[in-house]
Amino acid sequence: MQKKIPMRQCMGCRERKPKKELIRVVRSPEGEVGLDFKGKAPGRGAYVCPSLECLKKAIRSKALDRNLEVQVPETVLDALREELEVNGHES
């Protein structure tokens, strides 16, 4: 029997993809927002493709803010942009 692959929806392009292919932005139970690359941090999560284009769409539509039920700080968005640029995910 094959193991089920968890799927999540990107907040930018709205496509469903395997969880491991996406970057998770998490709001902790204390209300702090941060990046979760392992996908195991406690709290409410929202997912984005590792692409600047998807990140821009998610920011423009405020999908991350809506999904996490809090305004995502600019510092977190900057860290995510930097991560995508450093790792060559500029598509």
Side-chain angles (χ1 to χ4, degrees), residues 8-17 22-23 46-64 66-67 80:
R8 298 292 184 267
Q9 186 176 45
C10 170
M11 294 290 104
C13 64
R14 313 295 291 166
E15 285 183 34
R16 293 183 62 80
K17 297 185 178 184
L22 302 171
I23 297 174
Y47 295 82
V48 180
C49 291
S51 126
L52 285 174
E53 198 55 46
C54 282
L55 177 60
K56 287 176 188 171
K57 285 180 187 175
I59 293 169
R60 205 171 324 135
S61 68
K62 300 212 181 293
L64 288 172
R66 260 195 325 274
N67 197 284
L80 186 50

Side-chain angles (χ1 to χ4, degrees), residues 19 24 36-43:
K19 182 179 170 183
R24 185 173 185 237
D36 175 23
F37 295 103
K38 295 199 186 315
K40 303 229 184 258

